[in-house]
Amino acid sequence: MSDSNDLKRTVARAALSHVIPGELLGVGTGSTANHFIDLLAAESISIAGAIASSEASATRLRGHGIPVLTLDEALASGRRIPVYVDGADEIDPGLNLIKGGGGALTREKIVAAASDCFVCIADESKCVDSLGRFPLPVEIIPMALGLVSRELVRMGGIPALREGFITDNGNFILDVSGLHVFDPVAFESELDHLAGVVTNGLFARRKADIALVSSADGVRSLRV
Ligand code: 5RP
């Protein structure tokens, strides 16, 4: 029986085959992404540079000697970012995601939007029939804490401030439980329109293109 850490490492290894040597690479955040970074370094796959979705991932990449570019540097170079590899907290059958358990959702959404192909890596515990069991992370401007919390309650959610956590962008995270996500694209947009919301953790407008999912039986590659 594989434990969760083994499954994360196994799926991270499977993602290496999606890396295009000599090209830029978007790199996500979290424990599965950390395995991916470590394996990328261990396998000495040479890339033009990584665009990291968090300070933590940038530090880890640099620690392995992998060059890190800002997104603006990458875009100014005129190069594409053909692949973005990142984990998820939930994956539905349409490859819509909930992300942000590590609090990096805003930069993750930015790097995903800038990339041609989003390869999501996760163990099978992340697969759900419909999104919403995992409390939805919402990054908010600190002064809007009360206002956004009130609106989220009005929408049927139970928001909880992630205590002692400040995002890389200097903001707060509300983890919102009790939400039923019937239409991920519409709900993502509705949440983003609340004044004070920076980003929410629904990745439906820009969902994964490929999900690699590990289980004791191996790694499945899912596309829609
Ligand atoms: C960070 C994320 C992560 O990808 C997500 O939380 C999954 O993390 P892990 O790989 O540690 O299970 O969205 O903001």
Side-chain angles (χ1 to χ4, degrees):
M1 184 75 171
S2 307
D3 73 14
S4 165
N5 195 49
D6 286 344
L7 292 178
K8 289 181 177 190
R9 195 166 178 85
T10 297
V11 77
R13 185 179 298 283
L16 293 177
S17 66
H18 291 268
V19 176
I20 304 173
E23 297 282 352
L24 295 174
L25 175 68
V27 177
T29 298
S31 55
T32 318
N34 282 345
H35 282 302
F36 174 73
I37 293 169
D38 295 348
L39 290 164
L40 183 70
E43 297 293 323
S44 304
I45 299 174
S46 176
I47 56 171
I51 296 84
S53 69
S54 64
E55 297 298 334
S57 290
T59 300
R60 198 176 189 98
L61 286 156
R62 288 197 189 97
H64 284 301
I66 296 172
V68 177
L69 285 71
T70 66
L71 181 57
D72 278 348
E73 286 168 343
L75 297 178
S77 75
R79 302 182 75 120
R80 295 167 36 243
I81 306 170
V83 175
Y84 174 55
V85 177
D86 196 3
D89 300 300
E90 282 189 349
I91 307 173
D92 81 3
L95 304 192
N96 302 296
L97 312 173
I98 286 182
K99 290 184 47 56
L105 59 160
T106 298
R107 295 190 187 197
E108 291 172 339
K109 210 172 261 198
I110 292 168
V111 182
S115 303
D116 298 338
C117 179
F118 178 1
V119 179
C120 182
I121 51 175
D123 65 84
E124 63 178 348
S125 69
K126 307 292 184 65
C127 291
V128 297
D129 290 334
S130 67
L131 301 175
R133 193 178 58 201
F134 188 90
L136 181 67
V138 180
E139 179 164 351
I140 62 160
I141 300 291
M143 80 165 278
L145 174 61
L147 177 66
V148 176
S149 298
R150 191 181 72 187
E151 292 303 304
L152 290 168
V153 169
R154 188 183 53 75
M155 295 165 81
I158 305 163
L161 179 66
R162 199 176 293 185
E163 294 288 347
F165 186 87
I166 300 291
T167 71
D168 285 347
N169 314 306
N171 296 317
F172 290 166
I173 297 279
L174 287 170
D175 292 301
V176 190
S177 52
L179 294 172
H180 299 286
V181 185
F182 298 113
D183 182 341
V185 172
F187 200 53
E188 180 181 357
S189 296
E190 190 180 347
L191 287 171
D192 276 353
H193 281 104
L194 296 178
V197 167
V198 177
T199 324
N200 72 84
L202 281 171
F203 283 56
R205 290 185 306 228
R206 203 287 177 254
K207 59 188 183 177
D209 299 296
I210 300 171
L212 302 177
V213 178
S214 57
S215 70
D217 298 328
V219 177
R220 285 180 298 147
S221 178
L222 310 176
R223 293 173 192 254
V224 283

